Amino acid sequence: MMDSAKPPIARSFYRIARFSGLIVGIWPQRHRSWDTNLLCAFSLTVILIGALGENLYGFLNLSNLVSALEAFCPGSTKAVCVLKLTIFFLYHRQWFEIVQRLRDMLWANRSEEAQNMLLGISTLANRLNLLLLCSGSATNAAFNIQPLIMGLYRWWFQLPGHMGLPFNITLPKFATDSQLFPLTYFVLTCSGACTVFTFSFVDGFFLCSCLYISGVFRVVQQDIRNVFAELRDVEVFSPSMNAEIRLQLGQIIERHNAIIDLCTDLTGQFTVIVLMHFLSAAFVLCSTILDIMLNTSSLSGLTYICYSVAAMTQLFLYCYGGNHVSESSAAVANTLYEVEWYKCDARTRKIILMILRRSQRAKTIAVPFFTPSLPAFSSILSTTGSYITLLKTFL
């Protein structure tokens, strides 16, 4: 057993998601300070400006498909991020309670075997979250650097034209005047950066929560095996052995029920977010790939390659996390079937059967019309390919 006040997993608990959430002011806290609320308000404002302006530009320029798609891609992502940011802000107490409950579950078992397993899961979650943050940051950097490179190129070769903004966006005329242009450029740069940190936090929070839940399901499996491991050489369990097994199984049932309840609450909190993300996923992927195919500029093509990688990473994290929850919850039933339950008396077998029957109904992060899983990820990519093939016939 580990004697330290905090287990090893404490250092990596939501590490990347917490970093991103603190930057935009939406990391769940029991009491939010005024500066945190101010930071959140700033993030929401600049993202909303980008979402409204870019989508409006897309609708006003539908005659130019490339320009419209270049506006719709980041605009739709920012619109979904406005929703994510708003939900986390409005329900920050509920999110804080979920984090606390999950922390208590992860901290509960201090055995070296359990903590090493949980630490490995947490490390994987943080690495995937970091991949999303890096791909999103690369995309935002490409959007912001591209106009600067094009402007420098025109200035160097004395070509006509003026430097553009990072995104195709409709703004009031005064915002693009020469005096306010640097401020407008800075605001749009902040809009892209806050968008990246928002989806890095929200999507990373979902992934980490799912992998942590799958981890505590695996700890339950370990505990079930440990209950029977010391009695492996016994042919038939004595009444005292059965009583001890029932006592330990009762504690496991309480923890198993708590995990299922937490999973249900997490699903309820994420229902709207996951639904809107999945509804927009095929459109965003289709738009980015069409942008790559139709764009004649190598810089724009590189930008949208980064964008497509970030969009697919987002979708994959939702599906990967949901898939882990369903598989690990169903694996509890397999573990129960593999132990030497036949050596128990009838009363103990009934308890085992009760856990078995509940575990056979795999817990999923299901939302209307969608269940995040790897088959769903494959299905959305297939649908995106079908949309692209259809649209190419009209272009």
Side-chain angles (χ1 to χ4, degrees):
M1 299 294 288
M2 297 182 178
D3 299 326
S4 58
K6 291 184 179 180
I9 194 177
R11 294 190 297 271
S12 62
F13 185 63
Y14 287 111
R15 174 177 288 181
I16 304 299
R18 184 172 62 250
F19 168 76
S20 299
L22 289 172
I23 287 179
V24 290
I26 51 170
W27 173 251
Q29 299 173 3
R30 187 185 300 276
H31 302 292
R32 295 178 59 86
S33 60
W34 67 268
D35 54 329
T36 301
N37 288 331
L38 186 63
L39 189 59
C40 182
F42 172 79
S43 302
L44 181 60
T45 301
V46 294
I47 296 173
L48 186 59
I49 290 172
L52 293 176
E54 289 160 28
N55 285 302
L56 180 59
Y57 182 96
F59 283 115
L60 294 176
N61 293 271
L62 288 173
S63 57
N64 186 339
L65 184 59
V66 173
S67 294
L69 288 176
E70 287 181 350
F72 280 134
C73 284
S76 57
T77 299
K78 289 176 182 177
V80 175
C81 281
V82 168
L83 174 69
K84 294 176 178 179
L85 195 62
T86 303
I87 290 176
F88 264 84
F89 175 75
L90 293 177
Y91 300 100
H92 66 93
R93 289 188 179 88
Q94 290 88 332
W95 293 114
F96 177 79
E97 290 175 2
I98 287 175
V99 172
Q100 290 298 111
R101 289 162 63 187
L102 197 47
R103 178 187 281 112
D104 292 341
M105 291 179 183
L106 294 171
W107 266 237
N109 193 322
R110 296 299 184 94
S111 69
E112 186 174 358
E113 181 184 11
Q115 284 299 315
N116 287 339
M117 184 267 293
L118 292 174
L119 183 60
I121 289 175
S122 184
T123 301
L124 173 63
N126 284 313
R127 286 175 178 173
L128 291 173
N129 198 175
L130 182 61
L131 173 63
L132 176 61
L133 178 60
C134 291
S135 60
S137 298
T139 303
N140 184 53
F143 271 111
N144 287 280
I145 293 174
Q146 181 182 345
L148 299 177
I149 294 176
M150 296 302 295
L152 182 62
Y153 178 83
R154 291 192 189 96
W155 175 79
W156 185 264
F157 291 99
Q158 297 183 347
L159 298 175
H162 60 278
M163 192 172 75
L165 291 169
F167 304 97
N168 289 348
I169 186 170
T170 298
L171 293 170
K173 188 176 180 180
F174 70 85
T176 55
D177 289 342
S178 57
Q179 293 180 342
L180 290 178
F181 186 86
L183 177 61
T184 302
Y185 203 102
F186 173 74
V187 169
L188 293 182
T189 300
C190 290
S191 176
C194 289
T195 299
V196 171
F197 285 118
T198 296
F199 68 63
S200 172
F201 163 67
V202 176
D203 303 346
F205 185 93
F206 179 86
L207 173 71
C208 290
S209 299
C210 287
L211 292 189
Y212 292 152
I213 288 173
S214 73
V216 289
F217 271 126
R218 292 184 187 181
V219 171
V220 167
Q221 297 170 44
Q222 284 184 358
D223 291 344
I224 291 172
R225 294 189 190 99
N226 292 337
V227 168
F228 291 86
E230 297 179 358
L231 306 174
R232 189 170 298 165
D233 297 331
V234 180
E235 293 185 3
V236 179
F237 298 154
S238 66
S240 60
M241 292 178 180
N242 278 289
E244 180 63 25
I245 291 173
R246 286 195 297 271
L247 177 63
Q248 295 182 58
L249 288 178
Q251 297 171 351
I252 290 173
I253 289 174
E254 290 181 2
R255 288 167 46 213
H256 188 236
N257 290 339
I259 298 168
I260 292 174
D261 291 341
L262 175 62
C263 193
T264 301
D265 292 342
L266 182 71
T267 302
Q269 291 293 110
F270 262 104
T271 295
V272 176
I273 293 175
V274 175
L275 178 61
M276 293 307 300
H277 189 89
F278 272 61
L279 287 174
S280 63
F283 170 76
V284 170
L285 286 173
C286 180
S287 299
T288 52
I289 294 173
L290 280 175
D291 266 317
I292 295 170
M293 295 169 59
L294 300 176
N295 219 305
T296 56
S297 169
S298 57
L299 282 176
S300 295
L302 180 61
T303 298
Y304 282 95
I305 288 174
C306 294
Y307 195 106
S308 61
V309 170
M312 282 191 285
T313 303
Q314 274 187 283
L315 182 62
F316 175 76
L317 295 191
Y318 278 100
C319 295
Y320 185 74
N323 200 76
H324 259 62
V325 171
S326 59
E327 287 186 351
S328 60
S329 64
V332 175
N334 296 332
T335 302
L336 281 165
Y337 186 77
E338 291 169 359
V339 300
E340 297 172 320
W341 53 267
Y342 48 85
K343 296 181 180 180
C344 301
D345 59 20
R347 185 180 173 187
T348 307
R349 290 182 190 179
K350 288 180 181 179
I351 296 176
I352 295 173
L353 181 61
M354 181 174 65
I355 308 174
L356 180 65
R357 293 195 56 161
R358 186 162 193 183
S359 302
Q360 285 174 332
R361 299 191 298 272
K363 193 63 185 172
T364 58
I365 310 294
V367 300
F369 313 115
F370 300 102
T371 298
S373 62
L374 293 181
F377 177 72
S378 175
S379 177
I380 291 175
L381 292 184
S382 176
T383 302
T384 301
S386 300
Y387 287 164
I388 293 172
T389 303
L390 178 64
L391 288 171
K392 281 180 65 177
T393 62
F394 295 98
L395 300 176

